[in-house]
Every structure is written in structure tokens, then in C-alpha cells.
Amino acid sequence: YRKCGEYKYIEDAIETLRGAIEDNAGKYHVEKLGCLKELGEAHLLRFIRLGSLVDVETSVSILQQIVDNISDEHQEYLSCLATLGNSLSFRFERLGEISDIDNAISIFKRIAKADPDQVYGSGLGNALTLRFQHLGELEDLEDAVGCLRKATGSPPYGKPASPDDLNSLAFTLWTLYRNHKNPRDLDEAIEAMEHAVALTNDSNHEISNRLSNLGAVLMIRSSLAGHEQDIETAISVLSRAAEITPKDHPVMKRCFRNLGEAFSTRFDLHKNPEDLQKAILNLLKAVDAHPDDDVAKAQCLSRLGVAFHERFKLSKKALDSEYASLSFLEALQQESAPRTDLFTASVRWVDMMLKC
């Protein structure tokens, strides 16, 4: 599955591993330990692919069971601990429970002390970035950049970079740019993401995710730095991601969200009503694709409200104004959303009401 991305291989792996574990019921030896570890990883992969909460819960449970029952000197201990940290990070991203991301960060810090070569260094950077997004503590973001620079071999480090780590570094630098407004951070984010995409084959199941991220970063630079070619490239990249991504893949909701934002940005530049309509259609798909307990749903609804309000200014139709208001109000009702997203939605709603 890691090589070709065909979903059936995850299902086959989970079924085979469960059978092997049942055959060794009541025993706890090296072979069963290996099967449990791979089963936890397989459930995490299926969660990443399908977004089912049961899978990430199962992954956390299995991996916690392993680390609770083996010595910290066991050769598989750090690997199991790292996968547990990743599973907790993904569960936090889905549910927004602070205890999950705090535990993940604690785990990755333990690993960093025990692993001087930083084989698992990007996990800490990713977890710190997620906590920053939820709480807004700049120290987390700055620490995340440092961890990910080291993991990718950026100067002064000399390690060869993996596309996974480059992808993480790009996202964190993009987030740093949005807070410090240093153009060098954004340029470096784009360079890292282009490098990650170049290192990823089209047959790799991560290509959709990386194309989506590249499009998002290009979109940010276009909207904030005025690079019109970036928005054209972003729409092309995001359209390609939407075309090659299976409809049931969780990254599809991000493709819709980013495409909606990209068409909104191009509308802001050229005021072409067709772009605004495409923005609304993609954002509606994004809202439908995000479950109610997804922390990103409020952001989609807020952006949809802005798009409907822009259409109202063109059409003067009361229905567009009503749709905009309903979108903002629904965004404010998303209990699991980060505080920054709820604040943005409230400001946009108030601003719209004052202008109506």
C-alpha cells in the first residue's frame, strides 16, 4: 500500500495481521509483538485514507498496549512510541482534544532524548505545529521549525531530506510566514514543497496530499505577495490533485477547500464571476466532506460565508446574503474548532452585517 496506494492492500494487511495475532492468543513473544505493531500502523494508514475515527482509536489502543508491555530498551520501543505519537497527533487533528497533542509532544521529546540521530525528529515538529494551530503559542511554532529543519537536513544540518519531512517543513514555514510575514519563510516553504513533490512518484499514495499542500502554499503567496502566476499554478496543481485523488480519500476535502480558496483569490484579482461561482461550488463540497467533529469545518464555513457575501454584492439577491449569514453562524457553532477560526468567523459575520 505504501508504494502504490491501493486501498485493498490495507484491508488485506489488517485481516492477515488479526489472523496471526489470534493464532498466538495468550502469548506475548517477538512475532506477536511485530504483528501488533504492524496492525497499529495499518489502522493508522486506514484512518489517514478513510478518516474513520474507529481506526485511529484502535491504533492508539494497540500501540499504547505495546509500549506499556515492553522495556524501553527493546529494539522496537522507539519505533512503537513514535507511531503512538503520530496516532495521537492525528486523533488531536480530528477531535481537538488538547491532552492528545500534549501527550504526543511528550512522547516525541522522550524520543529526541533517546535518539541522538533524530530518526523520528519530524514527529515533534509536526506535533508542535498542530498545538500552535490550536492554542496560538508562538514558541511552539518556532520550536517546530527548528525540529523540522534538523529533520530535513536544512543548513546547518547535513542530512538528506525525505519528501515526508520536506512536506512537514513546508507546512510549518507557511504557518510561520502567516504569523511573522517574512517573505523568506514563504519562499522557503514553496521551495521545500516543490522538492517534496519532485521526489514523489505519481503512483505514491502521498502525491495527492503533496500537490494539495503545494497549491495551498502557492495560493498564500499569490494572495499576500501579489504573484498572479502563483495563483494560476496553484489552480492547476490543485485541479490535478482533485482529478487523481479517490473520492473517498480524506485529502479530497482539503482539495475542495483549497480549490475554493484559490478561485476566491483569483476572483479578488480579476473580479470574474465564474471564479466566484467555482469557489462557492468547491467550498460547498468541502463543507459536505468535513464531518461535524472535524476541527477544519468552521474554517470552510467561514470562507463559504465570505464567498456568498461577495456574490450578494454582485447579485443583490437576499438569498445570497442569507446563505452568507447562515454559513458564518454555523461556523460559530463548531465546538471543536480552534479559537482563531471561531474569532475569524465572528469578525467576518459582524463585518458583513454592518455592511448590509
Side-chain angles (χ1 to χ4, degrees), residues 186-253:
L186 188 58
D187 291 341
E188 188 181 350
I190 291 172
E191 182 180 350
M193 186 45 53
E194 288 174 338
H195 192 186
V197 168
L199 291 174
T200 307
N201 295 325
D202 284 353
S203 59
N204 189 303
H205 71 285
E206 285 291 338
I207 187 63
S208 297
N209 183 53
R210 286 167 192 158
L211 285 168
S212 180
N213 287 342
L214 175 58
V217 177
L218 287 166
M219 181 177 64
I220 292 294
R221 188 167 70 177
S222 173
S223 62
L224 297 178
H227 297 172
E228 290 194 31
Q229 184 56 47
D230 279 343
I231 197 61
E232 299 299 331
T233 305
I235 289 173
S236 176
V237 166
L238 291 167
S239 297
R240 180 186 168 206
E243 287 174 3
I244 67 175
T245 303
K247 300 303 179 186
D248 62 349
H249 198 296
V251 80
M252 199 69 204
K253 60 188 178 186

Side-chain angles (χ1 to χ4, degrees), residues 120-132:
Y120 309 105
S122 62
L124 178 57
N126 292 335
L128 287 165
T129 302
L130 287 172
R131 190 168 69 179
F132 166 78

Side-chain angles (χ1 to χ4, degrees), residues 96-260:
E97 292 288 340
I98 292 296
S99 60
D100 276 343
I101 201 63
D102 285 344
N103 288 336
I105 289 170
S106 176
I107 284 171
F108 286 121
K109 285 182 176 179
R110 287 167 57 193
I111 293 173
K113 290 181 179 179
D115 177 31
D117 294 329
Q118 290 293 300
V119 176
Y120 309 105
S122 62
L124 178 57
N126 292 335
L128 287 165
T129 302
L130 287 172
R131 190 168 69 179
F132 166 78
Q133 288 180 303
H134 203 88
L135 298 179
E137 295 290 339
L138 281 174
E139 184 179 354
D140 279 341
L141 184 59
E142 290 164 356
D143 288 346
V145 171
C147 290
L148 290 164
R149 285 191 192 282
K150 189 172 183 180
T152 57
S154 299
Y157 310 104
K159 294 167 52 180
S162 75
D164 287 344
D165 291 345
L166 285 164
N167 185 69
S168 297
L169 176 62
F171 179 77
T172 302
L173 286 166
W174 164 17
T175 306
L176 185 65
Y177 170 75
R178 293 174 68 183
N179 285 272
H180 292 334
K181 300 298 186 287
N182 186 337
R184 287 180 296 179
D185 292 330
L186 188 58
D187 291 341
E188 188 181 350
I190 291 172
E191 182 180 350
M193 186 45 53
E194 288 174 338
H195 192 186
V197 168
L199 291 174
T200 307
N201 295 325
D202 284 353
S203 59
N204 189 303
H205 71 285
E206 285 291 338
I207 187 63
S208 297
N209 183 53
R210 286 167 192 158
L211 285 168
S212 180
N213 287 342
L214 175 58
V217 177
L218 287 166
M219 181 177 64
I220 292 294
R221 188 167 70 177
S222 173
S223 62
L224 297 178
H227 297 172
E228 290 194 31
Q229 184 56 47
D230 279 343
I231 197 61
E232 299 299 331
T233 305
I235 289 173
S236 176
V237 166
L238 291 167
S239 297
R240 180 186 168 206
E243 287 174 3
I244 67 175
T245 303
K247 300 303 179 186
D248 62 349
H249 198 296
V251 80
M252 199 69 204
K253 60 188 178 186
R254 189 146 41 88
C255 289
F256 289 141
R257 186 170 78 240
N258 289 338
L259 263 175

